Amino acid sequence: MLLESLREQVLRANQEIARRGLAPHTFGNASGIERSGVEPLVVIKPSGVDYAALTPDDLVVTDLDGRIVEGALRPSSDLDTHTLLYREFAEIGGVVHTHSEFATSWAQAGRPIPCLGTTHADYFHGAIPVAGPVSAEEVAEAYVRNTGAVIVRRFREESLSPLAVPGVLVAGHAPFAWGTTVAEAVEHADVLEYIARLAFRSILLGASEAGIPAHVSEYHYQRKHGPKATYGQR
Amino acid sequence: MLLESLREQVLRANQEIARRGLAPHTFGNASGIERSGVEPLVVIKPSGVDYAALTPDDLVVTDLDGRIVEGALRPSSDLDTHTLLYREFAEIGGVVHTHSEFATSWAQAGRPIPCLGTTHADYFHGAIPVAGPVSAEEVAEAYVRNTGAVIVRRFREESLSPLAVPGVLVAGHAPFAWGTTVAEAVEHADVLEYIARLAFRSILLGASEAGIPAHVSEYHYQRKHGPKATYGQR
Amino acid sequence: MLLESLREQVLRANQEIARRGLAPHTFGNASGIERSGVEPLVVIKPSGVDYAALTPDDLVVTDLDGRIVEGALRPSSDLDTHTLLYREFAEIGGVVHTHSEFATSWAQAGRPIPCLGTTHADYFHGAIPVAGPVSAEEVAEAYVRNTGAVIVRRFREESLSPLAVPGVLVAGHAPFAWGTTVAEAVEHADVLEYIARLAFRSILLGASEAGIPAHVSEYHYQRKHGPKATYGQR
Amino acid sequence: MLLESLREQVLRANQEIARRGLAPHTFGNASGIERSGVEPLVVIKPSGVDYAALTPDDLVVTDLDGRIVEGALRPSSDLDTHTLLYREFAEIGGVVHTHSEFATSWAQAGRPIPCLGTTHADYFHGAIPVAGPVSAEEVAEAYVRNTGAVIVRRFREESLSPLAVPGVLVAGHAPFAWGTTVAEAVEHADVLEYIARLAFRSILLGASEAGIPAHVSEYHYQRKHGPKATYGQR
């Protein structure tokens, strides 16, 4: 079996998004990529299978174009979004898609989440952007792949770095998050949900969309992610 | 004992709506129908009995007019709504009524839930409609049966298909959901609650009632329910 | 030891309001009354003791004026509200005070909860009223007793029956609920919290304060409480 | 090992804020101080370590200027806020920082929590104030220490007593709470979160910012904290 270790990580990630309540009703999927071989290989969960029943064998291995390399089950119906993100964002090693409650509510409202506090600034550099919606032509052509395309387009337009802004809201749909590993992608999907909860309440209490001063958000972001990071035991 | 397998399914469905938090304080009931015999038979929970204490024996079997065929206990006080739905919606095999928190809040506001995202579009074709309220004459004549009648009337008026829109909000009351089986009805009741949670937050964040573009909602609905469905392992 | 059975019921009620999340941080208390003896006796929890640690021995027995008849610990600081309610509402056998989250939010807003649906109508006949606030003179004279007095005054002013409206919101404070037994008082406190959750969301979604038509609320209330009640297995 | 008992208390406090859901994603830290020795010593959790994995050995002991006296791990990145609070608020024995959901939402909105009810009045004397934000100069000079400085400044400006108002919201950041012991600081952080939840809903329901009458809030505060306190078994 190919990629045994990555299969384990991707399996755990899929179970973890269910366990943390981010993906009720199998609304969600996680994948990871191994880029070190001759050809990059993606491991993703199969479509519509209950998380509790998943085993490493059930996972599907594909190439970067989504062609199945190993696996008896049909891959997640969102596969083409994952592979497009892997093709375009060379820095990322894992992708997580959820329909988590508050992040999805922001996505449905088509509204970016402004940076209203240091919880946000510790993980996301600036607002969490909204991509899409996907146009009628894009849906007709290739809906799932173009869901990835509208994400990438938004990042290019705003000159955003995928590792500095490790997540996005797809308008009228739900969030995607990513990271250097699939475990980090899960963490970002979970933090994104928490940020969405905080921001929802803050906005109802009258918080300004302008958010926190740049000198505070920069300090927090650099403290965790800059070259002189002081957070944690590194 | 008649309908042993259906009794098991209906029992599990009633326990499941309690376990998922959809029916606090025994505010809820599930039923199933067996249409293959000489005469269709309905299995429903008894009235006001704690879910934890229910056994298959406690369930009540009635005909399509609500006459008890088997069972020592009084059937759910909502029986006549269930039987009317079974009479009018020939496609459905199970009905679930809950007072789940957010769906009931929308019902109390008398407001249909617009299709604001793909979570909704995957399960419900268009807005989740509001039926009723039941008029003074209808209450006086036969309140419970007429609760079913106002649901059916709304579906006829809007030319809705019960399997494409597997649930409804009764104004000033609470949701009903259904499916081809009672297990599917539970799933629809649960998803309806989740959709209601998402929509509540989206609306407070300023989402437009217009909802997502038709090309997206059609794509999602057809992907799961159309003749060329690609979701899951079928 | 006096009133062994009532002590057990009151103990269980106090534990139950904690277990159901209605009284975080020991913000709550339950009492029961035995009216059949020569002199009515009240059993109430002691003040500021953790629910988990309570034993029947810890409970305090007082007369209707709050004089301790049995018990080594100081009674709940809300005792005088309970005894006043027992003196004035002869029909009730148990009183529960909580700071449950949504009911307390309505109390803090000083706003009665309108009857917006059948969940409400099944348990409370009409709006859940707001009593108080207690005036400066009343606080100075006897704050806790006068908390009871403002409740009774509101019920007299609006000609409300304590069994038809088994609970109230004290403005700027929190809810009180009651019933014919202390177990029923717990049930009413819990349903009141659920009604408060539903109504909060409904109001934010634009529900009219007018609430559901009288013919529906009357039907529901009478179905559970009227002389021809059809709900449950009675 | 120094301060064995205080290490145990601080460990338990750090675990407790995680267990109560106040500090998801290790967003939080608790410390305690021993003032009785020749030199006061602070015990604080290490930075970025998962709560579940913490042992008493992992805790870091520092002096009042944050110099490490014992401990192999790097202390919490918020250490300098804690030590400044200990230097300036001589009455306090423990400090807790969380990113709890509703208190953080108020902090992000930059809005003090008005005293809307007796739950609040029992623990906090008047509104829960907002400190900061920290200015660009203060961030550049010493961000973490100056987070403490803006808290102290707000308390001096409003002549607040740290034991009468045992917590604060830092604008665009999150709450800090304290008490005479670290266990009491945890309790105050938890009650602060509950008050924030109640106030959020009350404000959305239209509660006046003016809050409850002074004669009620004074009565409640004095009942628990005044020289003639009658609450609990003291």
Side-chain angles (χ1 to χ4, degrees):
Chain A
M1 208 165 60
L2 289 166
L3 304 171
E4 210 156 334
S5 159
L6 184 59
R7 278 173 184 271
E8 289 288 352
Q9 292 169 47
V10 172
L11 175 60
R12 204 159 36 238
N14 277 290
Q15 291 167 335
E16 198 62 18
I17 58 177
R19 196 186 65 77
R20 298 192 192 189
L22 301 172
H25 305 282
T26 74
F27 296 150
N29 40 71
S31 72
I33 190 168
E34 175 58 66
R35 296 188 190 264
S36 69
V38 177
E39 180 184 40
L41 291 176
V42 172
V43 176
I44 194 164
K45 82 180 264 286
S47 176
V49 172
D50 195 1
Y51 295 100
L54 277 182
T55 69
D57 285 18
D58 296 332
L59 300 187
V60 185
V61 179
T62 77
D63 67 15
L64 263 187
D65 292 315
R67 278 182 295 257
I68 294 180
V69 174
E70 196 173 67
L73 296 172
R74 182 184 291 190
S76 163
S77 58
D78 291 312
L79 171 66
D80 291 351
T81 310
H82 290 244
T83 53
L84 187 131
L85 292 175
Y86 287 127
R87 288 200 302 271
E88 300 288 336
F89 293 166
E91 314 89 315
I92 68 176
V95 170
V96 164
H97 173 47
T98 78
H99 285 209
S100 68
E101 195 167 327
F102 283 74
T104 301
S105 298
W106 282 90
Q108 291 195 160
R111 205 171 156 174
I113 305 179
C115 179
L116 300 177
T118 62
T119 320
H120 183 126
D122 277 340
Y123 284 86
F124 288 83
H125 202 195
I128 296 162
V130 174
V134 187
S135 71
E137 292 70 32
E138 289 165 330
V139 167
E141 190 213 11
Y143 172 61
V144 181
R145 191 187 75 211
N146 283 327
T147 298
V150 298
I151 295 173
V152 171
R153 195 191 308 152
R154 172 60 28 117
F155 273 64
R156 304 280 187 247
E157 280 167 5
E158 301 193 16
S159 302
L160 301 174
S161 150
L163 290 188
V165 183
V168 71
L169 308 172
V170 177
H173 187 161
F176 284 81
W178 47 76
T180 56
T181 63
V182 64
E184 202 180 89
V186 171
E187 183 71 7
H188 291 157
D190 201 3
V191 169
L192 169 50
E193 173 65 10
Y194 196 64
I195 291 169
R197 299 176 80 94
L198 296 176
F200 173 74
R201 269 81 188 223
S202 301
I203 290 291
L204 292 195
L205 287 170
S208 156
E209 299 268 344
I212 57 175
H215 61 267
V216 174
S217 57
E218 278 309 306
Y219 179 90
H220 269 266
Y221 187 74
Q222 296 303 333
R223 171 161 95 165
K224 277 202 74 173
H225 300 280
K228 301 186 190 158
T230 61
Y231 189 82
Q233 297 299 330
R234 35 189 160 171
Chain B
M1 209 164 59
L2 289 166
L3 304 172
E4 210 155 335
S5 158
L6 185 58
R7 278 173 184 270
E8 289 288 352
Q9 292 169 49
V10 172
L11 175 60
R12 205 159 36 237
N14 278 289
Q15 290 168 336
E16 198 62 18
I17 58 177
R19 195 186 65 77
R20 300 192 191 189
L22 301 173
H25 304 282
T26 73
F27 296 149
N29 39 70
S31 72
I33 190 168
E34 175 57 66
R35 295 188 191 263
S36 70
V38 178
E39 180 185 40
L41 291 176
V42 173
V43 176
I44 194 164
K45 81 179 265 284
S47 176
V49 172
D50 195 1
Y51 295 99
L54 276 182
T55 69
D57 286 18
D58 296 332
L59 299 186
V60 185
V61 179
T62 78
D63 66 16
L64 263 187
D65 292 317
R67 279 182 294 258
I68 295 179
V69 174
E70 196 173 68
L73 297 172
R74 182 185 293 190
S76 164
S77 58
D78 291 312
L79 171 66
D80 291 351
T81 310
H82 291 242
T83 52
L84 187 130
L85 292 175
Y86 288 126
R87 287 199 302 271
E88 300 288 336
F89 293 165
E91 314 89 316
I92 68 176
V95 170
V96 164
H97 173 46
T98 77
H99 285 209
S100 68
E101 196 167 325
F102 283 73
T104 302
S105 298
W106 283 89
Q108 291 194 160
R111 206 171 156 175
I113 305 179
C115 179
L116 300 177
T118 62
T119 321
H120 183 126
D122 278 340
Y123 284 87
F124 288 83
H125 203 192
I128 295 162
V130 173
V134 187
S135 72
E137 293 68 32
E138 290 165 328
V139 167
E141 190 212 10
Y143 173 61
V144 180
R145 192 188 73 212
N146 283 327
T147 298
V150 298
I151 294 172
V152 172
R153 194 191 308 151
R154 172 62 27 124
F155 273 64
R156 304 279 188 248
E157 281 167 5
E158 301 193 15
S159 302
L160 301 173
S161 150
L163 291 187
V165 182
V168 71
L169 307 171
V170 177
H173 188 162
F176 284 80
W178 47 76
T180 55
T181 63
V182 65
E184 202 180 89
V186 171
E187 184 70 6
H188 291 157
D190 202 3
V191 169
L192 169 50
E193 173 64 10
Y194 196 64
I195 291 169
R197 299 176 80 94
L198 296 175
F200 173 73
R201 268 83 189 220
S202 302
I203 289 290
L204 292 194
L205 287 170
S208 155
E209 298 268 344
I212 56 175
H215 62 266
V216 175
S217 57
E218 276 311 304
Y219 179 90
H220 269 265
Y221 187 74
Q222 295 303 333
R223 172 161 95 166
K224 276 201 74 173
H225 301 280
K228 301 186 190 159
T230 62
Y231 189 84
Q233 296 299 329
R234 37 190 159 167
Chain C
M1 207 164 61
L2 289 166
L3 305 170
E4 210 154 336
S5 158
L6 185 57
R7 278 173 184 270
E8 289 289 352
Q9 292 169 49
V10 172
L11 174 60
R12 204 158 38 236
N14 277 288
Q15 290 168 336
E16 198 62 18
I17 57 176
R19 195 185 66 77
R20 299 192 192 189
L22 302 172
H25 304 281
T26 74
F27 296 149
N29 39 70
S31 71
I33 189 168
E34 176 58 66
R35 296 189 191 264
S36 69
V38 179
E39 180 185 38
L41 291 177
V42 172
V43 175
I44 194 165
K45 83 179 264 284
S47 176
V49 172
D50 194 1
Y51 294 99
L54 277 182
T55 69
D57 286 18
D58 297 331
L59 299 186
V60 185
V61 179
T62 78
D63 67 16
L64 262 187
D65 293 315
R67 277 182 295 257
I68 294 179
V69 174
E70 196 173 67
L73 296 171
R74 183 185 290 190
S76 163
S77 58
D78 290 312
L79 171 66
D80 292 351
T81 310
H82 291 243
T83 53
L84 187 130
L85 292 175
Y86 287 126
R87 288 199 302 271
E88 299 289 335
F89 294 165
E91 313 89 317
I92 69 177
V95 170
V96 164
H97 173 46
T98 77
H99 285 209
S100 68
E101 197 167 325
F102 283 74
T104 302
S105 298
W106 283 89
Q108 290 194 160
R111 206 169 155 176
I113 304 179
C115 179
L116 300 177
T118 62
T119 321
H120 183 127
D122 277 340
Y123 284 87
F124 287 83
H125 202 193
I128 295 162
V130 174
V134 187
S135 72
E137 292 69 33
E138 289 165 328
V139 168
E141 191 212 9
Y143 173 60
V144 181
R145 192 187 73 212
N146 283 328
T147 298
V150 297
I151 294 172
V152 171
R153 194 191 308 151
R154 172 60 29 116
F155 272 64
R156 303 278 188 250
E157 280 167 5
E158 300 192 16
S159 301
L160 302 173
S161 150
L163 291 188
V165 183
V168 71
L169 307 171
V170 177
H173 187 163
F176 283 80
W178 48 76
T180 55
T181 63
V182 65
E184 202 179 271
V186 170
E187 183 70 6
H188 291 157
D190 201 3
V191 169
L192 170 50
E193 174 64 10
Y194 196 64
I195 291 169
R197 298 176 81 94
L198 296 176
F200 173 74
R201 268 84 188 219
S202 301
I203 289 291
L204 292 194
L205 287 170
S208 156
E209 299 268 345
I212 57 175
H215 62 267
V216 175
S217 57
E218 277 310 304
Y219 179 89
H220 269 265
Y221 188 74
Q222 296 303 332
R223 171 161 96 166
K224 277 202 72 172
H225 300 280
K228 300 184 191 162
T230 61
Y231 189 83
Q233 296 298 331
R234 36 190 159 168
Chain D
M1 208 165 60
L2 288 166
L3 304 170
E4 209 154 335
S5 158
L6 184 58
R7 277 172 185 271
E8 289 288 353
Q9 292 169 48
V10 172
L11 175 60
R12 202 157 40 235
N14 277 288
Q15 290 168 336
E16 198 62 18
I17 58 176
R19 196 185 65 78
R20 299 190 192 190
L22 302 172
H25 305 282
T26 74
F27 297 149
N29 39 68
S31 72
I33 189 167
E34 175 58 65
R35 296 190 191 263
S36 69
V38 178
E39 181 185 38
L41 291 176
V42 172
V43 176
I44 195 164
K45 82 180 263 284
S47 176
V49 172
D50 194 2
Y51 294 100
L54 277 182
T55 69
D57 285 18
D58 296 331
L59 300 186
V60 185
V61 180
T62 78
D63 67 16
L64 263 187
D65 292 316
R67 278 182 295 256
I68 295 179
V69 174
E70 196 173 66
L73 296 172
R74 183 184 291 189
S76 164
S77 58
D78 290 312
L79 170 67
D80 292 351
T81 310
H82 290 244
T83 52
L84 187 130
L85 292 174
Y86 287 127
R87 288 200 302 270
E88 300 288 334
F89 293 166
E91 313 89 315
I92 69 177
V95 170
V96 164
H97 174 46
T98 78
H99 285 209
S100 69
E101 196 168 325
F102 283 74
T104 301
S105 298
W106 283 88
Q108 290 194 160
R111 205 169 156 177
I113 304 178
C115 179
L116 299 178
T118 61
T119 321
H120 183 127
D122 278 340
Y123 282 87
F124 287 83
H125 202 194
I128 295 163
V130 174
V134 186
S135 72
E137 293 70 32
E138 288 165 330
V139 167
E141 190 211 10
Y143 172 61
V144 182
R145 193 188 72 212
N146 283 327
T147 297
V150 298
I151 295 172
V152 171
R153 195 191 308 151
R154 172 62 26 123
F155 273 64
R156 303 279 187 248
E157 280 167 5
E158 301 193 15
S159 302
L160 301 173
S161 150
L163 290 188
V165 182
V168 71
L169 307 172
V170 177
H173 187 162
F176 284 81
W178 47 77
T180 55
T181 63
V182 64
E184 201 180 271
V186 171
E187 183 70 7
H188 291 157
D190 201 3
V191 169
L192 169 50
E193 174 64 10
Y194 196 64
I195 291 169
R197 298 176 81 93
L198 296 175
F200 173 74
R201 269 84 188 220
S202 302
I203 289 291
L204 292 194
L205 287 170
S208 156
E209 298 268 345
I212 56 174
H215 61 266
V216 174
S217 56
E218 277 310 304
Y219 179 89
H220 269 266
Y221 187 75
Q222 296 303 331
R223 171 161 96 165
K224 277 202 73 173
H225 300 280
K228 299 186 191 160
T230 61
Y231 188 83
Q233 297 297 332
R234 36 191 158 167

